């Protein structure tokens, strides 16, 4: 079965502040960070809601086999590279798709842009959107918290009362 991989969950580390790592207590001993909020303030971002083109999705779900559509496959490969590049550029925050047999066929990408117009441009330049393999919508999205739990050295700690 062909899987579409947009961006790994490790992308949440993009906004992890230095306070997420080890620190020192009053005696100079190394202490580990506890799971908590990685971002100090709300991150103003945009969300890209994605749906796979209906005919591709229908064939895939009906047969369990990814359709042999070379143009779509080429666009999906370019889409994955495009968003890896956005991640490296510091724009992409999180991305992923629904697993399982859901009727809604939805994936999301949360990313930063300077304005709604810039966000629209970023999405319109996605190769899978350009090739009409994906239908996409862009909406403003405020990230109120990102977990720091994927930061090395972070552990579950007792929270003070």
């Amino acid at each position: 079965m062909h899987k579409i991989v947009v961006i790994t969950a490790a992308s949440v580390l993009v906004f992890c502040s230095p306070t997420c790592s080890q620190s020192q207590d009053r005696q100079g001993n190394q202490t580990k960070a506890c799971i908590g909020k990685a971002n100090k303030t709300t991150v103003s971002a945009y969300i890209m809601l994605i749906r796979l083109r209906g005919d591709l999705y229908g064939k895939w779900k009906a047969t369990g086999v990814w359709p042999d559509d070379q143009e779509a496959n080429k666009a999906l490969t370019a889409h994955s590279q495009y968003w890896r590049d956005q991640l490296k550029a510091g724009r992409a925050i999180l991305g992923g798709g629904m697993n399982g047999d859901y009727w809604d066929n939805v994936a999301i990408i949360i990313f930063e842009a300077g304005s709604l117009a810039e966000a629209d441009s970023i999405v319109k330049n996605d190769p899978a959107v350009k090739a009409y393999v994906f239908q996409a919508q862009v909406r403003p999205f405020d990230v109120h918290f990102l977990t720091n739990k994927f930061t090395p050295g972070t552990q579950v700690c007792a929270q003070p009362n």
Side-chain angles (χ1 to χ4, degrees):
M1 178 182 293
H2 183 80
K3 277 206 150 197
I4 302 168
V5 178
V6 179
I7 299 175
T8 67
S11 64
V12 298
L13 297 177
V14 172
F15 291 97
C16 187
S17 68
T19 60
C20 297
S21 60
Q22 290 190 351
S23 60
Q24 291 184 351
D25 64 15
R26 291 181 189 164
Q27 289 78 33
N29 299 317
Q30 290 290 322
T31 59
K32 292 188 177 185
C34 297
I35 293 176
K37 184 176 173 179
N39 55 315
K40 292 183 185 222
T41 61
T42 298
V43 177
S44 295
Y46 295 88
I47 188 166
M48 175 182 177
L49 301 170
I50 308 166
R51 286 184 186 267
L52 184 62
R53 196 173 74 207
D55 64 315
L56 293 172
Y57 182 73
K59 289 176 188 174
W60 182 27
K61 287 301 172 183
T63 65
V65 176
W66 183 254
D68 185 22
D69 186 317
Q70 291 180 1
E71 289 301 312
N73 292 340
K74 181 178 170 185
L76 291 170
T77 298
H79 159 82
S80 294
Q81 182 60 53
Y82 180 78
W83 285 100
R84 279 193 299 273
D85 292 344
Q86 298 300 317
L87 179 62
K88 288 177 187 173
R91 282 188 207 92
I93 298 172
L94 177 131
M98 298 287 261
N99 277 332
D101 193 22
Y102 297 98
W103 66 269
D104 47 5
N105 173 27
V106 173
I108 64 168
I109 298 175
I110 300 173
F111 64 99
E112 287 186 302
S115 66
L116 182 56
E118 182 184 353
D120 281 334
S121 177
I122 290 168
V123 170
K124 286 178 183 174
N125 283 305
D126 179 318
V129 174
K130 283 175 140 178
Y132 302 103
V133 173
F134 284 148
Q135 297 173 318
Q137 295 179 346
V138 179
R139 297 183 185 161
F141 188 84
D142 290 335
V143 180
H144 295 284
F145 69 88
L146 287 169
T147 182
N148 66 345
K149 86 181 226 177
F150 300 106
T151 303
T154 302
Q155 61 185 2
V156 176
C157 301
Q159 299 297 319
N161 292 333

